[in-house]
Amino acid sequence: MINLFDFLHDDYKQIEIFNKDQLKNKTIFITGSNGLIGSNLLSYIVFLNREFDLNIKIIAHSFSKQNEWLISEDYITYLSGNLNDLAIDFKFDYLIHTATYGQPRKVLENLENTLYLNTSTYYKLLNTSLKNGAKVLFLSTSSIYGNISGENNSINENFVGKVSLDSISSLYGESKRIGEIISRIYIEQGLDVKIARIAIGYGPGIKLNDKRFMGEFIKKALDLGKIEMLDQGESIRQVCYITDVVEMLMNILLNAKDVVYNVSGIFYDGYGFRIRDIAEIIAKYTNASVVFPKENNGVLGSFAKMNIDISKYTNEFKKSKFVDIDYGLSQTIKWVQALK
């Protein structure tokens, strides 16, 4: 099986990180290192070591054993098991807390652990970070804003949110909101904590059993030759290719002036894509068809729009170029094919 580092080596070359020498001879602790974002952060740090001789050490934790596509190096320590039970008493200079259950189905199957990872476990991580004098990046989510379908403008970091409290599916967004408040407690104690609210990262590093819509579309296209839509796919989603996500996260961790930043991509009119457009791009690269239902009943619990304003980041870091969605999806399809 091809490893993630080799697969994305050329894509990693396009990432622009400022002041990366801050990482030289440091130790980075990454939780959730088997996930899409965690595994790419790990692989990109390997890239930094090989390209720039930064001598970064990595402690990589995941619930299960390391993915087969993650590279092995003597400066990487892999830990596995329930993060809630891990004794976090080791030294590190940076913490990137990506561990979570982000897939709606996984959240519903792991309600308590979803809550713990963003609250009590996060407290434990921050306590050790404070002792170590470490810098922290907490991966939050655009889900903290709730249903913004009725908002005319894209949502910036000052929006207070519209999370519904009458549905258990809100637990993910609400637990991240609590995690952000916990971050503020430690910021008041002098800890350097940054928060990234991410809206749909995608790309190589995705697992075959990923149940989010982009993974499901690719799997259906490859296995069945058709993508059967649950509705007409008019909902808008803002997405971001994984190397753009990694670039934005690393710059926020190392260089950000403020605490909270939205993270996603910009496309065409400043908004995201209709879900049907994403399905049709995937179909184009897999020679599949897109099949729509005769009746448009909608998908239960699905928002009509998720559109966040990332100008705070793009203005501060002068970022204007994002990976094209055609390229990003074609790379993701090739990755899934390589896993099969």
Side-chain angles (χ1 to χ4, degrees):
M1 174 183 286
I2 191 169
N3 65 58
L4 192 58
F5 173 86
D6 290 335
F7 190 92
L8 280 177
H9 183 267
D10 290 341
D11 286 355
Y12 289 151
K13 286 183 176 180
Q14 307 306 312
I15 293 175
E16 296 185 22
I17 303 296
F18 301 99
N19 301 315
K20 54 183 170 286
D21 285 346
Q22 294 179 62
L23 299 173
K24 191 173 181 65
N25 301 321
K26 302 298 186 182
T27 298
I28 302 178
F29 179 25
I30 303 173
T31 69
S33 62
N34 264 5
L36 170 64
I37 295 175
S39 62
N40 271 280
L41 285 166
L42 187 153
S43 295
Y44 179 66
I45 293 167
V46 172
F47 172 86
L48 291 178
N49 273 344
R50 293 190 179 184
E51 294 289 317
F52 302 101
D53 193 28
L54 293 182
N55 190 36
I56 305 165
K57 293 180 174 59
I58 307 168
I59 303 170
H61 177 273
S62 63
F63 181 76
S64 53
K65 66 178 183 179
Q66 74 181 83
N67 287 326
E68 294 179 359
W69 62 76
L70 285 177
I71 201 164
S72 293
E73 293 280 7
D74 57 9
Y75 52 78
I76 305 175
T77 301
Y78 286 103
L79 306 174
S80 61
N82 192 328
L83 185 60
N84 299 323
D85 302 327
L86 180 68
I88 306 168
D89 54 4
F90 40 84
K91 289 283 187 179
F92 52 86
D93 302 291
Y94 294 88
L95 165 68
I96 306 178
H97 186 35
T98 81
T100 191
Y101 292 98
Q103 302 176 44
R105 190 175 302 179
K106 290 284 188 180
V107 170
L108 295 177
E109 292 171 353
N110 298 275
L111 295 174
E112 288 188 354
N113 279 336
T114 299
L115 182 62
Y116 294 155
L117 284 169
N118 296 309
T119 56
S120 58
T121 300
Y122 185 42
Y123 256 120
K124 190 164 62 171
L125 290 165
L126 289 174
N127 275 326
T128 306
S129 298
L130 190 61
K131 293 174 184 176
N132 289 343
K135 297 182 72 171
V136 177
L137 178 64
F138 176 61
L139 268 62
S140 188
T141 172
S142 60
S143 294
I144 70 155
Y145 297 125
N147 187 349
I148 62 172
S149 300
E151 299 296 317
N152 293 325
N153 300 314
S154 55
I155 299 302
N156 67 27
E157 291 84 354
N158 296 322
F159 187 73
V160 296
K162 291 184 175 181
V163 178
S164 172
L165 297 180
D166 61 0
S167 172
I168 195 68
S169 62
S170 297
L171 182 140
Y172 175 64
E174 278 298 296
S175 67
K176 289 292 188 181
R177 287 169 72 97
I178 297 170
E180 290 198 18
I181 291 296
I182 294 170
S183 299
R184 296 287 181 176
I185 293 172
Y186 281 83
I187 290 170
E188 289 294 317
Q189 297 181 55
L191 189 63
D192 188 345
V193 183
K194 307 300 184 186
I195 298 167
R197 296 171 179 164
I198 303 173
I200 309 184
Y202 76 97
I206 191 174
K207 296 178 182 177
L208 285 176
N209 63 351
D210 192 292
K211 299 299 181 184
R212 286 167 286 202
F213 77 93
M214 298 176 85
E216 286 282 271
F217 286 175
I218 292 172
K219 186 165 61 175
K220 287 179 178 179
L222 293 174
D223 293 346
L224 305 175
K226 61 182 178 180
I227 302 171
E228 294 178 321
M229 303 289 288
L230 299 177
D231 61 10
Q232 298 303 308
E234 295 293 338
S235 297
I236 293 173
R237 293 294 179 268
Q238 197 167 353
V239 300
C240 192
Y241 187 60
I242 189 60
T243 52
D244 283 324
V245 174
V246 168
E247 176 180 302
M248 296 172 82
L249 293 181
M250 293 299 292
N251 277 322
I252 291 169
L253 173 66
L254 295 177
N255 304 299
K257 298 175 182 177
D258 206 345
V259 174
V260 179
Y261 293 80
N262 286 336
V263 171
S264 196
I266 294 179
F267 300 98
Y268 305 136
D269 58 358
Y271 289 82
F273 289 93
R274 295 181 305 171
I275 289 178
R276 68 182 296 149
D277 296 331
I278 293 173
E280 287 168 355
I281 294 171
I282 292 170
K284 176 176 68 174
Y285 287 107
T286 55
N287 294 315
S289 60
V290 181
V291 180
F292 296 95
K294 292 181 180 179
E295 296 183 7
N296 186 21
N297 296 321
V299 178
L300 184 64
S302 178
F303 300 160
K305 180 179 72 174
M306 175 49 72
N307 173 223
I308 62 174
D309 179 2
I310 63 169
S311 61
K312 182 177 179 179
Y313 178 92
T314 56
N315 290 337
E316 185 172 328
F317 292 97
K318 311 302 180 189
K319 183 173 176 62
S320 59
K321 294 182 180 179
F322 289 81
V323 173
D324 180 79
I325 193 168
D326 276 74
Y327 176 80
L329 286 174
S330 66
Q331 281 285 82
T332 310
I333 291 164
K334 291 174 185 175
W335 170 258
V336 173
Q337 288 173 323
L339 292 184
K340 286 181 170 290

